[in-house]
Amino acid sequence: MLFRSALVTGSSRGLGWAIAQALAGAGAHIVLNGRDAGRVGPRVDEAKKNGWSASTSIFDVTDGPAVADGIARIEKDHGPLDVLVNNAGIVIRKPTLETSDQDWQTVIDSDLTACFRLSREAARGMVKRKWGRIIMISSVMGTIARPTIASYVASKAGLHGLTRALGVELGPMGVNVNCIGPGFYPTEAN
């Protein structure tokens, strides 16, 4: 196995949980993240019933100090963080003329700024070790658009640019950065 520890944000359900299961099945210790311990905890129990190594790291990805502390705690408790999957995100569906500045900022903070912040904090250790993997979960909406989700479309397009920027900067230091842009699939958010 090439990696030992993987943090998946927003992993209590949907795509995040599916990604975490795949990483666990490949032998990684999965660190499940979310804001609600009541949703994340049962997933750890489920993972352990499958014989997988799993733990939680409960923090809000939009809270800068909590992110820095969360990454530091993961590395202290589980050793080097080898893989970061930036999956947590939200969508607020409103026509543009009804979208407030706060609606816009809430989505940008969660779906774009948090990914930068998490990547920066995780990359600190990865660069020192000269190995790491950062995976951004974008969306097909990063390249096309639908009405009533302007902030989501903008944040996901921003993730494509952020991925390229981090890739060219961190790649020579052993940190691979990629972006996945899934289409539609059935989840609570969809």
Side-chain angles (χ1 to χ4, degrees):
M1 179 178 58
L2 294 175
F3 53 86
R4 295 180 302 266
S5 183
L7 168 62
V8 182
T9 66
S11 51
S12 65
R13 60 183 180 240
L15 184 59
W17 174 233
I19 292 168
Q21 290 177 86
L23 289 165
H29 170 81
I30 54 171
V31 181
L32 305 178
N33 164 262
R35 292 178 293 187
D36 183 352
R39 285 186 166 207
V40 179
R43 291 300 191 188
V44 170
D45 296 339
E46 189 176 337
K48 289 180 177 180
K49 284 179 187 172
N50 285 322
W52 299 330
S53 177
S55 62
T56 63
S57 185
I58 308 300
F59 61 86
D60 182 341
V61 298
T62 66
D63 179 337
V67 167
D69 184 57
I71 298 291
R73 273 186 285 115
I74 290 166
E75 293 216 338
K76 179 179 177 255
D77 294 345
H78 305 291
L81 180 61
D82 297 311
V83 177
L84 166 64
V85 180
N86 281 313
N87 172 72
I90 62 169
V91 61
I92 296 176
R93 290 180 173 86
K94 287 185 181 178
T96 297
L97 300 180
E98 297 171 20
T99 300
S100 69
D101 288 353
Q102 186 57 52
D103 293 334
W104 172 270
Q105 198 60 54
T106 297
V107 174
I108 297 299
D109 286 348
S110 175
D111 296 8
L112 180 58
T113 304
C115 295
F116 167 75
R117 186 178 290 127
L118 282 151
S119 297
R120 179 188 63 206
E121 296 306 315
R124 293 183 195 284
M126 292 174 177
V127 166
K128 285 179 188 171
R129 295 183 292 274
K130 297 182 172 59
W131 200 95
R133 301 294 181 256
I134 298 173
I135 303 166
M136 309 289 190
I137 303 301
S138 179
S139 165
V140 66
M141 290 299 125
T143 55
I144 63 172
R146 293 183 65 187
T148 73
I149 56 171
S151 56
Y152 183 80
V153 171
S155 68
K156 295 305 182 178
L159 272 184
H160 292 230
L162 178 60
T163 300
R164 288 190 302 272
L166 294 180
V168 298
E169 184 174 345
L170 301 176
M173 294 179 259
V175 181
N176 182 282
V177 185
N178 282 294
C179 185
I180 299 171
F184 299 102
Y185 53 90
T187 66
E188 291 175 24
N190 289 328

